[in-house]
Amino acid sequence: MNRRKAAIAAAGTIAAGALTAGLISVPSAFADGTAAGAAKDRRHGSAEARGVAKAAARAARVGVDWKDCPADWGLKAPVQCGWVTVPVDYAHPDGKKIKIAVDRARSTGGKSERQGSLVYNPGGPGGSGLAFPNRIPAKNPLWAKAATAYDFVGFDPRGVGHSAPVSCADPQEWVKGPKPDPVPDDEADKRAHRKVAEEYADGCKERNDKALISSLTTPNAARDLDVIRAALGDKKLNFLGVSYGTYMGAVYAELFPGHVRRMITDSVVNPAPDKVWYDVNLDQDIAFQTRWDDWKKWVARHDDVYGIGSTPAKVETQWKKLRATAKKEPLGGAVGPEELLGFFQSAPYYDSAWAEVASAWSAYLKGDEKPLVEAAGADLSDKAGNRADENSNAVYTAVECNDAKWPRDWRTWDRDNTRLHAKYPFLTWSNAWMNYPCGVWPFKQHKPTDVNTRTAHPVLMISATRDAATPYPGAVELHKRLKNSRLITEKDAGSHGITNLKNDCINKRVDAYLLKGTTDPKDVTCGPHATPEPEKSAKKATAKAESASAALPALPTGR
């Protein structure tokens, strides 16, 4: 899930469909005309259901006033921007409202090819999807076919970016390093980390409107998604969700099963209520260790290029040595073990980061620490970026803490993370401290949505067996819960956001689903995408390290 230096990955997939989108009439929140839709209405709270219906009807009448994007949004024509108004509390749709920022790039095909809007969420909680429409003017080849049929639509979820943003700490102080080593040496270290987490939770309470931050939940994000659908003039939703976006999509499917036209969930979060969110994080610690070990094997295979270690064990020894050095004397005065982890974890996240992380490390071992310090350290001059990072973390914290009940007894956290750290040390304690605000959360914690439904059209699910951020069993679990879904498994691969990678076995099925609405009669297993290749010489690898930080994909703020 959310990893601290996270900006949000633009990795993702495309979703498309078959019907021509048109303006909707005043819709019911479950306007599929089926008994199942009515049952969902009663099951998930009539007050909120009526509120969504009212907000969606209002949005359908108003639509979106598309204009050139504000100059400081960094989005240029032909991308257009606008707003969709939603209630803070769906049980009181005429009460306080906020505006959700949306953007779009128009489809490239003719009128007969158009199939509506493809709405995107990249993950988080806390990620902005506003970069997604840029895939059309950029002529991304993986998205070219889908672009003929769909407007690509991104949005900032409530609390994120331009959509009534929240904050729980001063961004400049929040990013400043070096921070304490996340792995505690003793009980005093644990108390210090708990204090920092408690202060962050207090900041969430003190710095925000209570009604707004309490409203940051996945069910409300799903309701917002349905209002956006209505504002776009689409009778049913075409949705691409990556990472946490898969959970948003799953909850949408539960609340609005008749509104699903095309939905792709890429890198799937486990939706089981007893997993959300405490156990999901524990499972992630195990999976990150597995993918970290994969990367060490790759680095060792290319020791002729990087010179880090000729075996995984030697690479691990070098990692421990680097951590110990940075703990004793932070690199560049600002990069300690915590900052190193924030950079190195991008390798277990994304294969595309393997070479860049190894190159920066290699340069450091050869006497040039600049690439590593610049990649791992905070840039205090980037105030806008730091503000966005802290905002993303604040939303992550609020959504996960609000969505589910977390252990309130520190002894539970201590027991579970001590046990896991013994076998899976790469991420465990860092992940625990990032999530511990939920153990002292000052707002109501809800019961997770029990996803168990059959959608109007099959959901296409895609996950990799060695994904670190969203362990593969989560995809199996959601597959069971979405009755007519289809699962594509990328075997022996682990990059996150796999539908934005070149793998013909996956890409052609995504296009078929989006353009024709077709899926295979059975689940499919695909081989892995191509393994990354390093630069062919140490000289080139060292040179590439100079641009490592800029070259890395942004980390998702969530699973």
Side-chain angles (χ1 to χ4, degrees):
M1 302 242 163
N2 183 0
R3 303 308 315 157
R4 56 198 47 61
K5 279 189 68 181
I8 192 76
T13 209
I14 41 183
L19 299 175
T20 300
L23 282 176
I24 62 173
S25 58
V26 179
S28 160
F30 304 95
D32 56 351
T34 66
K40 296 294 182 185
D41 190 329
R42 293 190 296 271
R43 178 173 162 188
H44 293 293
S46 59
E48 285 80 7
R50 287 193 297 270
V52 176
K54 189 168 187 177
R58 194 157 44 206
R61 289 192 297 268
V62 173
V64 181
D65 184 15
W66 295 109
K67 296 181 179 179
D68 289 343
C69 299
D72 61 351
W73 287 21
L75 300 164
K76 297 181 180 180
V79 176
Q80 299 173 300
C81 292
W83 302 93
V84 175
T85 300
V86 300
V88 172
D89 181 356
Y90 277 98
H92 301 92
D94 295 321
K96 185 175 181 180
K97 298 176 180 64
I98 57 173
K99 290 184 176 181
I100 301 295
V102 296
D103 68 341
R104 74 171 181 185
R106 298 305 299 269
S107 60
T108 61
K111 186 176 180 180
S112 63
E113 297 174 274
R114 179 174 164 74
Q115 297 191 38
S117 301
L118 172 61
V119 185
Y120 173 77
N121 180 267
S128 169
L130 294 182
F132 177 64
N134 283 327
R135 296 183 189 186
I136 289 183
K139 297 184 174 140
N140 185 315
L142 290 180
W143 308 94
K145 291 182 180 179
T148 64
Y150 296 90
D151 295 346
F152 283 13
V153 175
F155 69 104
D156 277 347
R158 64 169 62 201
V160 175
H162 307 290
S163 300
V166 299
S167 172
C168 297
D170 178 85
Q172 293 296 99
E173 291 299 317
W174 185 78
V175 302
K176 191 179 294 183
K179 294 180 172 64
D181 187 345
V183 178
D185 289 330
D186 51 32
E187 292 301 315
D189 281 354
K190 293 178 183 178
R191 286 193 297 271
H193 279 294
R194 289 168 62 190
K195 184 174 185 294
V196 170
E198 290 163 0
E199 288 173 350
Y200 196 78
D202 289 342
C204 292
K205 181 178 180 180
E206 295 165 0
R207 296 169 67 93
N208 299 287
D209 175 76
K210 180 180 178 181
L212 175 60
I213 198 161
S214 297
S215 79
L216 301 184
T217 67
T218 302
N220 278 337
R223 294 175 183 119
D224 292 345
L225 191 57
D226 201 56
V227 178
I228 292 171
R229 170 201 60 76
L232 294 171
D234 288 350
K235 279 196 170 186
K236 294 189 179 183
L237 178 71
N238 306 300
F239 179 70
L240 163 63
V242 183
S243 193
Y244 164 77
T246 67
Y247 185 60
M248 184 187 295
V251 173
Y252 182 92
E254 174 64 27
L255 297 180
F256 309 99
H259 286 186
V260 174
R261 181 174 179 272
R262 301 290 182 269
M263 180 179 288
I264 295 181
T265 60
D266 171 9
S267 305
V268 180
V269 170
N270 194 324
D274 61 346
K275 285 286 187 180
V276 176
W277 285 107
Y278 180 74
D279 279 6
V280 162
N281 279 279
L282 299 181
D283 291 346
Q284 189 187 41
D285 298 338
I286 298 170
F288 257 94
Q289 189 71 45
T290 298
R291 197 60 178 162
W292 171 252
D293 292 344
D294 289 347
W295 181 66
K296 288 187 298 183
K297 292 176 184 176
W298 181 86
V299 172
R301 279 202 309 272
H302 298 291
D303 190 49
D304 59 324
V305 176
Y306 299 116
I308 296 171
S310 59
T311 67
K314 290 180 180 179
V315 175
E316 178 68 20
T317 296
Q318 287 282 25
W319 166 244
K320 291 177 179 178
K321 182 179 178 181
L322 178 64
R323 286 186 91 267
T325 298
K327 183 172 183 174
K328 183 177 181 180
E329 186 174 348
L331 311 183
V335 175
E338 172 68 356
E339 289 73 32
L340 286 175
L341 185 58
F343 173 61
F344 275 78
Q345 69 189 10
S346 57
Y349 253 115
Y350 302 117
D351 292 4
S352 58
W354 283 12
E356 284 79 2
V357 175
S359 294
W361 194 4
S362 177
Y364 168 81
L365 291 173
K366 292 177 174 64
D368 181 8
E369 73 172 16
K370 181 181 176 182
L372 186 54
V373 170
E374 290 188 349
D379 180 0
L380 294 179
S381 69
D382 182 14
K383 293 185 179 180
N386 296 337
R387 186 166 56 250
D389 284 352
E390 193 282 323
N391 164 242
S392 180
N393 194 78
V395 175
Y396 166 87
T397 302
V399 171
E400 292 214 356
C401 295
N402 288 332
D403 264 1
K405 298 185 185 302
W406 290 69
R408 308 297 283 192
D409 188 341
W410 160 246
R411 290 172 295 183
T412 300
W413 294 73
D414 194 17
R415 178 199 66 212
D416 292 343
N417 287 282
T418 298
R419 173 180 54 83
L420 279 177
H421 176 78
K423 290 184 65 176
Y424 312 102
F426 177 72
L427 191 70
T428 296
W429 276 114
S430 176
N431 209 14
W433 303 128
M434 192 187 72
N435 289 291
Y436 190 65
C438 295
V440 291
W441 191 239
F443 303 104
K444 181 179 179 180
Q445 296 183 322
H446 299 271
K447 183 178 179 181
T449 301
D450 187 3
V451 176
N452 198 331
T453 193
R454 178 180 295 272
T455 54
H457 191 82
V459 172
L460 183 63
M461 302 170 51
I462 308 169
S463 270
T465 57
R466 301 182 76 80
D467 188 338
T470 52
Y472 181 72
V476 176
E477 181 68 24
L478 181 60
H479 189 25
K480 293 176 184 176
R481 290 169 173 271
L482 296 181
K483 303 305 181 192
N484 55 343
S485 59
R486 284 287 178 268
L487 174 60
I488 300 175
T489 298
E490 189 182 27
K491 189 177 180 181
D492 299 326
S495 200
H496 197 58
I498 57 176
T499 49
N500 205 37
L501 302 173
K502 185 173 176 53
N503 185 329
D504 186 62
C505 178
I506 294 172
N507 303 147
K508 68 183 181 182
R509 287 178 166 85
V510 168
D511 282 340
Y513 177 78
L514 298 174
L515 298 175
K516 300 177 182 178
T518 58
T519 60
D520 289 272
K522 295 182 179 179
D523 295 337
V524 174
T525 297
C526 294
H529 58 273
T531 302
E533 289 295 328
E535 295 295 336
K536 297 303 181 183
S537 71
K539 182 177 180 180
K540 288 184 178 180
T542 301
K544 191 170 184 178
E546 294 294 335
S547 59
S549 183
L552 282 173
L555 294 180
T557 53
R559 314 295 188 242

